[in-house]
């Protein structure tokens, strides 16, 4: 999740082509609001305040679109509504309509921890700059690595500990707990009797009645982590999906568990050829969704998939089909993928790759053989180093005591804002201290002697010190 910086976006797409890139919703609204306030928008000034608010509200409506078709229809409605402001329509079509999947809900139908902005990570960068680096611009990589592995790692460990013991809130964990409690409440109230089971392409799907509206029934498919409720369409685990997971734990005959459904869907997709080869070189398949017009892309090379189920469970039917089609070994660090029963998986062996690997290994062995004997040019340097180490031991100093210094002034850290003067710490002058002590002694002598209240004396002392601190 980034700002709308295309240099950063292009770099991320090149290095992490299998990852989705989202735009921070806060920065989207900020950019739109700033542009509308400019004279070039045609709606600037106090007289057009209401019109700017209407445009921002329409952007929020566009953000809530849960499908690409809905987004296209709403975009056409936007241009029709504000057709009397052609500059606004041109701005929307040029800068935001073509990348709707990066800032609208229909492009976030996977687990993204309910995060809509990158404000949290920016707050951490602020702490890194001004707390861990003390407001200095860092120019040395080793210093930065030491801060990240030392101070920052300890700081995050303390936060996690405080969250685990309940001293600090963990909003994401609290939200999941609330969803689980809601599902448990539905289960205790006998909601299982109201659920209707239906078959979709040989995979179990369900109709779950809404808890708040009697006339509303949601279509739920656990194998795709799909639910057409408000939260489910945003790629979140809603209470209906969690309810079916709890029912599967209680009764596997009526409600199969997730692994069974995934294997069933993969087997049917392979048998009926319910997928397309998207890229032969990258070993990517395109698999249509059972609900709606969505399509998922699974790569047997990177073991990644764009479906919602993979983002929650690190395994899905799409990836099983891709690995089966390209005959790849399906190994995952978190959730190992089981092989299909009807299509055995065979480990691929590329003869050319094997020959290249053997050639590289032989080159490494030849290099090791060459360095088995110390070259003549290095022998004097080793002797000199050995002599220096012996001298250091005789003096009684350790090599670690010698500080590594650099003569390059450009590598030294500098203030982040060098033009601003840092305020020095205020020290109480000695004269003021003496005067303070004399004043306290005078007040103490004039007090009621042995019956003086200690708390009152300390209060007077703090008040007099604060007075001279202010001076």
């Amino acid at each position: 999740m980034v700002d709308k910086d295309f240099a950063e976006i292009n770099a991320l797409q090149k290095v992490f082509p299998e990852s989705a890139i989202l735009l921070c919703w806060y920065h989207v609204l900020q950019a739109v609001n700033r542009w509308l306030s400019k004279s070039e928008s045609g709606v600037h000034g106090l007289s057009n305040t209401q019109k700017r608010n209407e445009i921002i509200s329409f952007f929020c409506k566009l953000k809530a679109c849960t499908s690409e078709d809905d987004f296209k229809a709403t975009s056409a409605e936007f241009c029709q509504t504000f057709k009397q402001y052609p500059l606004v329509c041109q701005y929307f079509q040029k800068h935001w309509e073509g990348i709707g999947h990066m800032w609208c809900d229909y492009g976030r139908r996977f687990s993204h921890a309910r995060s809509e902005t990158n404000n949290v990570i920016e707050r951490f960068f602020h702490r890194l700059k001004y707390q861990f680096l003390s407001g200095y611009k860092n120019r040395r990589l080793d210093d930065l690595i030491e801060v990240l592995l030392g101070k920052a790692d300890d700081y995050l460990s303390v936060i996690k500990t405080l969250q685990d013991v309940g001293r600090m809130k963990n909003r994401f964990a609290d939200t999941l707990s609330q969803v689980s409690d809601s599902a448990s409440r539905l289960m205790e109230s006998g909601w299982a009797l109201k659920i209707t089971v239906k078959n979709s392409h040989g995979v179990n799907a369900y109709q779950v009645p809404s808890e708040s509206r009697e006339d509303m029934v949601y279509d739920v498919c656990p194998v795709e982590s799909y639910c057409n409720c408000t939260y489910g369409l945003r790629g979140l685990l809603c209470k209906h999906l969690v309810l079916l997971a709890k029912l599967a734990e209680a009764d596997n005959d009526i409600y199969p568990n997730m692994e069974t459904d995934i294997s069933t869907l993969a087997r049917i997709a392979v048998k009926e050829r319910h997928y397309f080869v998207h890229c032969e070189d990258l070993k990517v398949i395109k698999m249509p969704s059972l609900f709606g017009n969505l399509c998922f892309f699974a790569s047997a090379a990177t073991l990644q998939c764009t479906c919602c189920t993979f983002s929650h469970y690190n395994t899905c039917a799409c990836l099983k089909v891709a690995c089966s089609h390209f005959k790849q070994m399906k190994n995952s660090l978190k959730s190992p993928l089981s092989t299909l029963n009807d299509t055995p998986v065979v480990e691929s062996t590329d003869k050319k790759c094997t020959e290249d690997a053997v050639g590289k290994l032989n080159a490494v062995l030849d290099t090791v053989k060459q360095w088995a004997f110390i070259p003549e040019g290095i022998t004097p340097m080793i002797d000199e180093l050995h002599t220096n180490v012996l001298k250091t031991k005789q003096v009684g100093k350790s090599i670690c005591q010698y500080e590594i210094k650099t003569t390059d002034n450009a590598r030294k850290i500098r203030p982040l804002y060098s033009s601003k003067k840092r305020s020095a710490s205020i020290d109480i002058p000695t004269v003021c201290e003496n005067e303070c002590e004399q004043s306290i002694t005078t007040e103490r002598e004039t007090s009621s002697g042995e019956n003086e209240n200690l708390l009152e004396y300390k209060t007077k002392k703090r008040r007099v010190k604060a007075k001279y601190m202010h001076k």
Side-chain angles (χ1 to χ4, degrees):
M1 184 170 292
V2 299
D3 303 346
K4 194 183 176 185
D5 184 356
F6 282 105
E8 183 181 10
I9 292 173
N10 293 334
L12 289 172
Q13 288 177 343
K14 185 175 182 179
V15 180
F16 306 104
E18 72 280 359
S19 299
I21 300 176
L22 305 179
L23 293 183
C24 170
W25 174 234
Y26 169 80
H27 287 90
V28 170
L29 285 181
Q30 185 184 61
V32 174
N33 194 28
R34 286 178 177 176
W35 185 84
L36 293 176
S37 301
K38 296 180 179 180
S39 58
E40 61 188 46
S41 64
V43 291
H44 67 289
L46 293 176
S47 59
N48 293 316
T49 302
Q50 182 63 28
K51 185 59 63 177
R52 290 198 300 272
N53 292 337
E54 293 178 4
I55 295 173
I56 292 294
S57 299
F58 219 109
F59 263 86
C60 296
K61 183 179 179 181
L62 288 163
K63 166 70 169 61
C65 293
T66 56
S67 66
E68 188 174 3
D69 294 337
D70 188 16
F71 176 76
K72 291 180 179 179
T74 310
S75 299
E77 184 182 354
F78 177 89
C79 296
Q80 181 65 25
T81 304
F82 302 105
K83 62 181 180 181
Q84 55 182 340
Y85 303 99
L87 295 177
V88 174
C89 297
Q90 293 174 10
Y91 169 75
F92 167 71
Q93 293 173 344
K94 179 180 179 181
H95 295 281
W96 301 107
E97 187 177 13
I99 57 172
H101 62 283
M102 298 180 69
W103 59 277
C104 293
D105 285 345
Y106 79 89
R108 307 190 180 196
R109 294 188 61 174
F110 48 79
S111 177
H112 55 280
R114 297 175 181 263
S115 178
E116 300 291 342
T117 68
N118 59 1
N119 293 346
V120 176
I121 190 63
E122 287 193 350
R123 182 63 183 85
F124 172 73
F125 289 158
H126 185 275
R127 185 177 295 275
L128 179 66
K129 292 178 182 178
Y130 296 103
Q131 180 175 336
F132 298 149
L133 296 177
S134 302
Y136 284 85
K137 183 186 295 185
N138 182 64
R139 294 180 179 273
R140 290 184 52 167
L141 182 60
D142 54 343
D143 290 342
L144 179 61
I145 292 176
E146 182 181 359
V147 168
L148 292 176
L149 297 181
K151 297 179 181 179
D153 188 61
D154 293 341
Y155 167 76
L156 296 176
S157 300
V158 171
I159 288 182
K160 187 177 185 305
T161 303
L162 292 175
Q163 290 177 345
D164 293 340
V165 299
R167 295 288 300 275
M168 183 179 290
K169 289 186 177 181
N170 186 343
R171 295 184 178 180
F172 181 60
D174 293 343
T175 303
L176 292 180
S177 178
Q178 293 175 3
V179 172
S180 180
D181 294 341
S182 300
S184 300
R185 186 185 66 251
L186 291 177
M187 191 172 180
E188 293 174 357
S189 60
W191 222 255
L193 301 176
K194 302 180 182 181
I195 297 176
T196 304
V197 182
K198 66 176 184 179
N199 190 282
S200 177
H201 297 83
V203 179
N204 288 329
Y206 307 91
Q207 289 185 335
V208 182
S210 173
E211 186 181 14
S212 57
R213 295 180 55 181
E214 296 182 356
D215 58 336
M216 180 69 69
V217 178
Y218 299 117
D219 294 327
V220 186
C221 182
V223 71
E224 285 195 359
S225 298
Y226 172 84
C227 180
N228 59 353
C229 69
T230 305
Y231 289 99
L233 290 177
R234 294 171 55 195
L236 306 175
L237 281 179
C238 61
K239 60 184 179 182
H240 310 110
L241 287 168
V242 178
L243 172 63
L244 290 174
K246 291 180 177 293
L247 293 175
E249 294 178 0
D251 189 356
N252 286 333
D253 296 334
I254 301 178
Y255 305 97
N257 56 26
M258 180 63 69
E259 294 181 1
T260 304
D261 275 344
I262 289 176
S263 300
T264 302
L265 178 58
R267 197 176 301 112
I268 293 174
V270 171
K271 183 178 180 180
E272 298 182 359
R273 193 71 179 185
H274 188 65
Y275 66 94
F276 311 95
V277 178
H278 182 70
C279 182
E280 188 75 28
D281 297 334
L282 299 178
K283 300 180 180 180
V284 178
I285 68 163
K286 177 181 179 182
M287 187 167 174
S289 171
L290 300 179
F291 298 89
N293 298 323
L294 293 177
C295 290
F296 308 127
F297 297 91
S299 172
T302 61
L303 297 178
Q304 300 286 326
C305 183
T306 61
C307 71
C308 189
T309 303
F310 178 82
S311 66
H312 287 295
Y313 302 101
N314 294 310
T315 178
C316 62
C318 319
L319 192 55
K320 281 195 171 188
V321 174
C323 294
S324 173
H325 178 82
F326 293 105
K327 301 294 186 299
Q328 294 291 314
M329 292 299 295
K330 295 172 288 184
N331 297 324
S332 177
L333 294 177
K334 295 183 179 179
S335 301
L337 304 178
S338 58
T339 57
L340 298 176
N341 296 331
D342 53 352
T343 54
V345 179
V346 181
E347 184 177 3
S348 62
T349 55
D350 193 344
K351 185 177 180 180
K352 183 178 179 181
C353 294
T354 304
E355 293 177 354
D356 293 341
V358 172
K360 292 180 179 179
L361 182 59
N362 290 331
V364 172
L365 292 176
D366 293 339
T367 305
V368 173
K369 292 178 181 179
Q370 293 177 3
W371 284 88
F373 301 96
I374 302 176
E376 296 180 357
I378 299 180
T379 303
M381 300 173 62
I382 296 178
D383 295 337
E384 182 181 359
L385 178 62
H386 183 66
T387 304
N388 293 335
V389 171
L390 291 178
K391 290 182 179 179
T392 303
K393 289 184 178 181
Q394 293 175 1
V395 175
K397 293 183 179 181
S398 174
I399 299 178
C400 299
Q401 294 179 358
Y402 291 94
E403 183 180 359
I404 300 176
K405 297 182 179 181
T406 174
T407 57
D408 186 5
N409 294 330
R411 289 177 57 83
K412 294 182 179 180
I413 57 176
R414 300 174 180 175
L416 195 63
Y417 302 104
S418 56
S419 59
K420 296 182 180 180
K421 295 183 179 180
R422 299 175 61 88
S423 58
S425 58
I426 302 175
D427 297 329
I428 303 177
T430 306
V431 178
C432 293
E433 289 181 355
N434 296 334
E435 189 178 351
C436 174
E437 291 296 333
Q438 292 177 3
S439 177
I440 294 173
T441 305
T442 304
E443 292 186 9
R444 189 173 186 181
E445 290 177 352
T446 57
S447 61
S448 57
E450 297 180 355
N451 298 327
E452 180 185 10
N453 190 341
L454 181 61
L455 179 60
E456 183 179 357
Y457 164 70
K458 291 183 177 180
T459 304
K460 291 180 180 179
K461 185 176 180 179
R462 285 196 298 268
R463 186 171 64 252
V464 175
K465 281 192 174 182
K467 173 183 176 182
Y468 288 103
M469 278 289 290
H470 180 68
K471 288 183 180 181

